[in-house]
Amino acid sequence: VGLFVDRVNRRAVIAGNFLLQATSIVLMLSGPGPLLLYVACAMFGLGVGNTTSLPSVIVQAEFPKAAFAQVVSTIIAINQFTYSFGPGLLGWLRDGFGSYHASLTACLTLQLAAVAILLFGGSRRGRPVSDDSALS
């Protein structure tokens, strides 16, 4: 992805990355045999590396230079929060519903919400951002 992301619509690339992960979750939910489950896990894993590196590319395109550090550090803080509490929440859903269906459906919903935000959320470029309101 790093080879071409600077020459295409960055929002579309990241939305495509999330759609790849959403597709893999749909495969997992479909109850495939072991081979397709491995393929779905590999598909999801391909997106994970991009999910950690591409947010700064979007920030660079969407926010002024002066806001870059603040926005990226906020993204990292949110990511760390979800890395810490996400597995527990998914385990709680699994225990509460007796299977991983609810957990995977929650992940699928979040993936599709991320795609919608990226594609329909609008660009921040051109909007004034002051030092104390960089994230508003």
Side-chain angles (χ1 to χ4, degrees):
V1 174
L3 294 173
F4 64 85
V5 73
D6 289 334
R7 295 185 296 266
V8 296
N9 181 324
R10 292 173 178 143
R11 284 176 169 255
V13 169
I14 296 173
N17 184 72
F18 288 149
L19 283 174
L20 173 70
Q21 289 182 311
T23 302
S24 70
I25 293 171
V26 169
L27 272 177
M28 290 176 202
L29 283 167
S30 70
L35 180 61
L36 274 179
L37 189 58
Y38 284 123
V39 169
C41 288
M43 285 171 56
F44 193 89
L46 287 172
V48 171
N50 293 328
T51 302
T52 58
S53 59
L54 287 177
S56 60
V57 173
I58 281 194
V59 171
Q60 180 184 20
E62 300 286 329
F63 290 88
K65 266 187 190 181
F68 183 84
Q70 183 180 4
V71 175
V72 169
S73 61
T74 301
I75 290 170
I76 291 169
I78 292 168
N79 284 346
Q80 292 303 317
F81 179 84
T82 57
Y83 298 154
S84 298
F85 293 101
L89 176 60
L90 296 177
W92 179 77
L93 287 171
R94 187 253 176 252
D95 290 348
F97 288 91
S99 75
Y100 283 105
H101 192 271
S103 298
L104 291 173
T105 301
C107 291
L108 178 60
T109 302
L110 290 172
Q111 292 283 353
L112 294 176
V115 170
I117 290 167
L118 283 164
L119 295 180
F120 307 113
S123 176
R124 288 194 53 89
R125 260 302 164 210
R127 295 183 195 168
V129 176
S130 67
D131 290 334
D132 50 313
S133 66
L135 297 177
S136 58

